[in-house]
Amino acid sequence: MRFRRVIMAVVVLAAGALAGAAREASPFTVVNGSIRPSTGTPEPPSGTHATLWHNASYATTTVRGAGRLVIGAIGENCDGWPTVRVSTSSGPLGEVTLTSGTDYGGYAVGPRLAEGRYDIRIELVNDRYTGECDRNAHLAYARLQPPSPVDTTFGFAVVPDTQEEVLSAADTRLRQRVDWLVDQRTALDLRFVTHAGDVVNYDTPEHVQYERARTALRPLEAAGVPYTLAVGNHDTQAAGPDGELRSPAGELLRDTTVFNRYFTAERSGAVRGRFEAGKVDNAYVTYTAGGLRWLVLTLELWPRRAAVVWAQGVVAAHPRHNVLVVTHHYLESDGTIGRGSGYGSTSPQYLFDNLVRRYPNIRLVFSGHTGTAASRVDTGLHGNRIHSFLQTFHSRSTNPVRLVEVDTAADSLRTWIYAPHTDENFPAHDRWYPDLGLIR
């Protein structure tokens, strides 16, 4: 496409330029660009999109109604995704980066507009061409989206290490926490539950701790509340009697045969894909909540490089989902990202460098393993904020659980920790974050 810049100084294509081939006229008029057959999904009614290929390119259209302006577009990545600036005749609305090459999913820009007619201008502002790649923007539609009638507030729960809660048949803390979550699912608008690992402490010939944990989790299944479990080091054959490390630790860390016998994808519900057949050590699930799409990605402890590559593919294939990563060890007790690989393959820092910070739709990370509770905020390579939370506790007297409330309309998150067994709050770990930058 770049050769057109040499032979054409200005190209103006009005609506209907491809009328012979399109089912409807294009809604756009383009300057220094073109109207071309659409390549993304879902296919727009015109069967075309407006292509902007350099910083002198812009498209105009007219929209009528009230609500937020939504742009349907895809981009071509060339050392980064294209950014477009959107304005009306009254002034700028804002800029948005197009982070998908396949999905015309809507990008909301600017505040809610009152009822009226608006002349919209969309221009490419960060063109790049290297000879090997070409950064372009392709616009499928622009429309005003009225306020959503859906409930934009919902909750989910993150269960910390429960290894201390399955040592005795008389200990009811894990079951009591699960029963409480089921009882409170309406009040919390609870959409899913995830566990940060170390479900059990160690295996025995009778697998009694696994039996207790599976029985304790059954009320979630009966109530239809989907859940996911990260695999902790104590959930593997590396943990011997009394939780002592067995040898060879690195090899036994990947032996999760018993764990996967008791906790299957079919039991937890909603699993969409796994790194290895028959195992939930590395798996992902998808949800719709608050009017947005969510993906919960559970990863093995100190993951193998091949598992990280698999995770990269999962996140890249779901650019319109807001991603939560759950893995057993990520934050240290002081809130720093861990740098050691233990007896695994890679470190939390490796996971941050090669997955968490690389994708613009990764929003949250949850972990356990060490310390009590902590949190931090990082900035990804695309400017997105990544909120990470540690919750471990290793309590021998109560049963804390992290509760998270997301308000997609306000673009905010509130989280707190509560222990139903002792009706205990932990206000030092309450957090509220605005401006999440959720993918819409």
Side-chain angles (χ1 to χ4, degrees):
M1 168 184 313
R2 185 65 51 161
F3 71 90
R4 291 176 177 268
R5 300 188 182 190
V6 177
I7 64 175
M8 297 182 182
V10 177
V11 179
V12 179
L13 285 170
L18 296 183
R23 293 165 296 178
E24 295 182 11
S26 168
F28 294 103
T29 296
V30 185
V31 174
N32 286 337
S34 63
I35 303 294
R36 305 176 66 84
S38 59
T39 58
T41 57
E43 184 181 11
S46 67
T48 67
H49 57 215
T51 294
L52 310 180
W53 61 55
H54 56 75
N55 290 343
S57 301
Y58 65 91
T60 60
T61 190
T62 299
V63 297
R64 294 174 175 82
R68 292 192 74 190
L69 183 70
V70 176
I71 304 298
I74 59 177
E76 292 180 64
N77 192 317
C78 181
D79 300 328
W81 292 99
T83 296
V84 295
R85 179 178 299 132
V86 184
S87 59
T88 70
S89 55
S90 300
L93 288 180
E95 295 184 357
V96 64
T97 299
L98 313 178
T99 57
S100 173
T102 58
D103 184 355
Y104 288 126
Y107 297 85
V109 187
R112 183 181 183 276
L113 300 175
E115 184 70 35
R117 175 186 182 277
Y118 298 92
D119 295 324
I120 305 299
R121 173 177 167 135
I122 305 169
E123 55 188 312
L124 182 65
V125 298
N126 67 335
D127 177 43
R128 179 169 174 76
Y129 174 68
T130 67
E132 296 180 354
C133 62
D134 193 359
R135 187 184 297 164
N136 302 300
H138 308 284
L139 313 174
Y141 63 82
R143 61 173 178 247
L144 288 170
Q145 180 171 294
S148 172
V150 303
D151 180 5
T152 59
T153 303
F154 72 96
F156 63 91
V158 183
V159 179
D161 302 42
T162 54
Q163 64 197 76
E164 299 285 347
E165 301 174 29
V166 294
L167 298 179
S168 166
D171 193 333
T172 62
R173 288 178 294 155
L174 178 52
R175 176 60 179 263
Q176 191 267 341
R177 181 199 285 106
V178 169
D179 285 340
W180 182 84
L181 287 171
V182 170
D183 290 343
Q184 296 297 314
R185 68 187 185 278
T186 300
L188 296 171
D189 199 3
L190 192 69
R191 304 301 180 87
F192 58 87
V193 174
T194 190
H195 192 302
D198 278 359
V199 181
V200 303
N201 202 329
Y202 53 90
D203 195 17
T204 63
E206 300 80 16
H207 314 306
V208 63
Q209 295 183 24
Y210 287 94
E211 291 280 1
R212 291 168 185 157
R214 181 171 66 179
T215 300
L217 291 170
R218 277 181 178 148
L220 291 175
E221 300 166 19
V225 178
Y227 65 90
T228 53
L229 308 173
V231 176
N233 51 308
H234 285 265
D235 301 319
T236 76
Q237 294 304 304
D242 297 321
E244 295 297 325
L245 186 64
R246 297 171 62 207
S247 180
E251 179 180 334
L252 292 171
L253 181 67
R254 304 306 175 201
D255 185 349
T256 56
T257 306
V258 177
F259 186 93
N260 280 284
R261 186 184 309 159
Y262 280 85
F263 305 113
T264 65
E266 292 71 28
R267 295 187 67 89
S268 61
V271 172
R272 293 290 179 262
R274 292 176 281 180
F275 173 52
E276 296 165 302
K279 301 177 70 174
V280 294
D281 304 37
N282 302 278
Y284 74 92
V285 300
T286 57
Y287 306 105
T288 298
L292 302 181
R293 287 171 281 188
W294 301 85
L295 186 151
V296 178
L297 176 66
T298 51
L299 293 178
E300 64 189 22
L301 173 63
W302 305 313
R304 291 163 287 175
R305 284 171 170 79
V308 176
V309 170
W310 169 82
Q312 292 171 344
V314 169
V315 176
H318 296 80
R320 308 308 301 163
H321 285 72
N322 295 278
V323 176
L324 290 69
V325 176
V326 186
T327 191
H328 187 54
H329 181 208
Y330 183 74
L331 291 190
E332 301 289 8
S333 59
D334 61 359
T336 59
I337 296 175
R339 293 184 176 274
S341 58
Y343 40 95
S345 304
T346 64
S347 68
Q349 185 66 50
Y350 178 91
L351 190 63
F352 176 78
D353 291 338
N354 291 276
L355 178 71
V356 174
R357 72 169 183 164
R358 287 182 55 176
Y359 295 90
N361 54 329
I362 293 182
R363 288 290 176 271
L364 302 167
V365 183
F366 296 94
S367 63
H369 186 59
T370 186
T372 300
S375 61
R376 66 180 286 124
V377 182
D378 293 291
T379 301
L381 294 179
H382 301 273
N384 53 301
R385 286 175 296 282
I386 304 157
H387 296 81
S388 301
F389 300 94
L390 169 73
Q391 52 283 301
T392 305
F393 284 91
H394 289 137
S395 177
R396 296 188 176 184
S397 60
T398 192
N399 56 357
V401 57
R402 180 180 291 282
L403 302 169
V404 183
E405 180 184 80
V406 178
D407 186 337
T408 60
D411 199 31
S412 65
L413 175 150
R414 182 171 70 96
T415 183
W416 66 102
I417 295 173
Y418 174 71
H421 185 69
T422 51
D423 188 24
E424 186 176 358
N425 292 290
F426 300 82
H429 305 302
D430 292 358
R431 296 291 184 272
W432 177 78
Y433 295 107
D435 303 322
L436 294 180
L438 295 172
I439 302 291
R440 301 180 185 275

